[in-house]
Amino acid sequence: MPLISVILFAFAVLIMGVRQEQLEVTQAQGTALQQMTAQSAKEFSEFTKAAAAYIQSVGLPLPGTALTVGNLQGVNLLPSSFPTQTPFGQTLVADYVSDPNNPVALDVVVHTTGSMNAALLQKAGVSSGSLATVQYDTAVVAQNQVPSSISGSTGQFFGVANGAVLNNLGSSSSMTLPGGISTQQQEVAEYILSPGQYGYWLISANAFSSPFQVENPVNATSGIFSLRDFILFGNNTQTIQSQGFSLTCPSIAQNMTNYTPGGINGADVNVSNSMSLFFCIPAYKGQVVPFTETPATQFLGSTSISQNLSWNGQYYVYASPGYSETSNASYVNTGSIAGLNNNLYVTGGFVSNAGGTIPQYPNNEAFPVPNTNAIGGDGVLISVKTPQNTTDNYQIEIDAGILFTGPGCSEVLFNPDSGQSQLYQVWANSSGTNLCGSQVNQWQHWSAVKDSSNTGSMPVSQTYEYGGNSYPLGFSVATPMVN
């Protein structure tokens, strides 16, 4: 073979080898790019789902102005093995901002951020001029993986963001991101409007109303004998309290979504001593704040007094000093209640029966403090924004009362307080209660209203018995704003 032919053949073989090597490099880069794109799409989807779950959650705070991989790992929404950077060297972030149409709702923009790693781009055979293509290809792969229907959200938009504009993938539409959100370059992004944040503000309401309370014996070693303490007193308390946010309304709760504006809903709760209620107010999670509203009580006597006594086998002795409570509200004029009696007593024999296995105390003794007449109420006003950016006002009140009417039985009883015998008006002894025309009137009641014309208070209407007749009793419970 002529020398020139040998040289040309060798050169052809060299060219073919170079081309083969270049082909192998190109194929390797293509495979790497495909794998990196698929992995980036997978990580973006998992991060987006975790960010939406975080904001949908109840009780998790929103740190700063954005959620990071570390935030989501800290609450086990992402595994500890989740990478802090994408295969192209970027980081994932979920920025949250106020919704442009409803400032009490939070929107979330999940996107990649930061510069791509040059070495990783070289590995994938990507030039700086092809970055937009990489982001677009990642979005194409991710579009079937990202969440497209998020509970409570009013919409999701997915595509490639450039600056403050998000170009929706698969269409020519675009939208402007909320103020404060602007990408540095073309980046994969999903814009989620108020994810899972429109649900219910849970409110609990509790009332307790009892003409007396008998505590079980408390053994307090005191040198040579044990004291058995008993407390009898009028007890009338109410509390309305925030129980936080929920995406659903429990079936046992009053769902105030269904209330007709201005229509008062309510009922007497026919229980012996207490009632426990729940209310659901439609609200955004960002509107829910903690609060506890305590009652305002009117004692219809001068004070409500309670004293601890002990029985030494022959008579009562004081185990601790008494105390008094004064009214912090005024609901009714005491003189307007027919037959109201602030001086009705129970005898020692009634204590024995109420206490169960307690030793039988003499029935000719009077507890040295009369039963307490009291009316208590607790109310709140909660103002919330709606998805239509209007305002709804919700009022809740609970009230409870104890009214003793009638003369009772006039009996000469021994007073352990003074050590003297004197005439008492007796409401209850070991034979029973409501003696000689005396009557205890006891109630627990609630009412609630949406968008009332009077946001400052709510009316209450009750009846009470005296001398075999029923009488009306009307008053109002204040509903101060708590948010």
Side-chain angles (χ1 to χ4, degrees), residues 192-243:
I192 308 172
L193 278 68
S194 58
Q197 294 184 329
Y198 193 66
Y200 297 95
W201 190 344
L202 299 187
I203 310 295
S204 65
N206 300 280
F208 180 85
S209 173
S210 175
F212 58 87
Q213 176 175 323
V214 180
E215 292 188 353
N216 289 329
V218 178
N219 293 323
T221 303
S222 179
I224 58 175
F225 61 91
S226 296
L227 298 179
R228 294 180 179 270
D229 294 344
F230 300 90
I231 307 172
L232 279 74
F233 58 94
N235 196 338
N236 193 345
T237 60
Q238 302 81 40
T239 302
I240 301 178
Q241 188 172 16
S242 171
Q243 296 297 329

Side-chain angles (χ1 to χ4, degrees), residues 1 24 33 44 46 58 60 63 89 94 104 118 158 174 189 214 278 286 312 380 386 420 447 462 475:
M1 179 181 295
E24 292 175 356
L33 178 60
F44 184 91
E46 292 176 352
V58 177
L60 290 177
V104 298
F158 175 74
S174 63
V214 180
F278 282 94
N312 70 357
V380 296
T386 71
Q420 303 295 319
S447 57
Q462 286 291 339
F475 56 92

Side-chain angles (χ1 to χ4, degrees), residues 33-57:
L33 178 60
Q34 185 179 22
Q35 292 173 344
M36 293 165 69
T37 301
Q39 184 63 25
S40 290
K42 180 175 180 293
E43 291 175 9
F44 184 91
S45 173
E46 292 176 352
F47 181 86
T48 302
K49 292 176 183 177
Y54 188 104
I55 297 180
Q56 284 177 304
S57 67

Side-chain angles (χ1 to χ4, degrees), residues 321-336:
Y323 67 90
S324 64
E325 298 175 272
T326 57
S327 299
N328 60 355
S330 179
Y331 295 107
V332 297
N333 179 354
T334 303
S336 68

Side-chain angles (χ1 to χ4, degrees), residues 99-101 105-109 150-157 175 178 190-197 284:
D99 186 279
N101 298 316
L106 293 178
D107 294 345
V108 182
V109 181
I150 298 175
S151 176
S153 172
T154 53
Q156 297 92 51
F157 302 90
M175 65 180 307
E190 180 163 18
Y191 179 24
I192 308 172
L193 278 68
S194 58
Q197 294 184 329
Y284 285 92

Side-chain angles (χ1 to χ4, degrees), residues 39 43 69 73 78-84:
Q39 184 63 25
E43 291 175 9
V69 169
Q73 287 175 325
L78 285 178
S80 58
S81 59
F82 193 90
T84 57

Side-chain angles (χ1 to χ4, degrees), residues 137-459:
D137 290 344
T138 301
V140 169
V141 177
Q143 66 177 331
N144 294 323
Q145 302 176 28
V146 294
S148 58
S149 180
I150 298 175
S151 176
S153 172
T154 53
Q156 297 92 51
F157 302 90
F158 175 74
V160 177
N162 188 4
V165 177
L166 174 61
N167 296 298
N168 200 37
L169 195 68
S171 73
S172 59
S173 64
S174 63
M175 65 180 307
T176 301
L177 297 175
I181 303 296
S182 181
T183 59
Q184 299 176 354
Q185 56 193 7
Q186 295 196 52
E187 299 172 359
V188 181
E190 180 163 18
Y191 179 24
I192 308 172
L193 278 68
S194 58
Q197 294 184 329
Y198 193 66
Y200 297 95
W201 190 344
L202 299 187
I203 310 295
S204 65
N206 300 280
F208 180 85
S209 173
S210 175
F212 58 87
Q213 176 175 323
V214 180
E215 292 188 353
N216 289 329
V218 178
N219 293 323
T221 303
S222 179
I224 58 175
F225 61 91
S226 296
L227 298 179
R228 294 180 179 270
D229 294 344
F230 300 90
I231 307 172
L232 279 74
F233 58 94
N235 196 338
N236 193 345
T237 60
Q238 302 81 40
T239 302
I240 301 178
Q241 188 172 16
S242 171
Q243 296 297 329
F245 176 80
S246 174
L247 289 174
T248 58
C249 179
S251 59
I252 62 172
Q254 283 285 319
N255 191 335
M256 299 182 73
T257 307
N258 304 321
Y259 281 12
T260 301
I264 296 180
N265 302 262
D268 288 321
V269 179
N270 296 317
V271 294
S272 58
N273 291 324
S274 63
M275 68 175 180
S276 296
L277 302 167
F278 282 94
F279 298 85
C280 292
I281 293 176
Y284 285 92
K285 181 182 178 183
Q287 294 176 307
V288 175
V289 296
F291 73 84
T292 299
E293 192 72 9
T294 53
T297 303
Q298 179 184 6
F299 297 108
L300 302 181
S302 58
T303 58
S304 170
I305 305 174
S306 170
Q307 294 168 323
N308 295 351
L309 302 178
S310 66
W311 176 255
N312 70 357
Q314 295 179 330
Y315 53 85
Y316 290 105
V317 296
Y318 284 108
S320 62
Y323 67 90
S324 64
E325 298 175 272
T326 57
S327 299
N328 60 355
S330 179
Y331 295 107
V332 297
N333 179 354
T334 303
S336 68
I337 301 176
L340 183 70
N341 194 334
N342 280 310
N343 202 37
L344 279 171
Y345 289 76
V346 297
T347 70
F350 178 79
V351 178
S352 303
N353 286 347
T357 59
I358 307 306
Q360 294 295 305
Y361 301 148
N363 202 44
N364 65 345
E365 285 193 354
F367 194 86
V369 176
N371 290 305
T372 302
N373 290 289
I375 297 175
D378 194 7
V380 296
L381 166 66
I382 297 174
S383 184
V384 294
K385 286 283 189 180
T386 71
Q388 293 75 37
N389 203 27
T390 59
T391 299
D392 280 334
N393 292 310
Y394 295 89
Q395 292 163 266
I396 300 170
E397 73 81 24
I398 55 174
D399 59 274
I402 307 165
L403 301 179
F404 289 90
T405 60
C409 289
S410 296
E411 299 182 26
V412 176
L413 303 174
F414 175 74
N415 185 335
D417 187 12
S418 65
Q420 303 295 319
S421 295
Q422 66 185 73
L423 189 67
Y424 285 89
Q425 298 175 47
V426 178
W427 166 70
N429 59 25
S430 60
S431 300
T433 62
N434 298 332
L435 302 177
C436 300
S438 61
Q439 176 71 51
V440 60
N441 300 270
Q442 180 185 351
W443 75 85
Q444 297 87 31
H445 171 264
W446 69 270
S447 57
V449 64
K450 171 184 176 181
D451 292 335
S452 168
S453 58
N454 178 12
T455 57
S457 64
M458 293 189 66

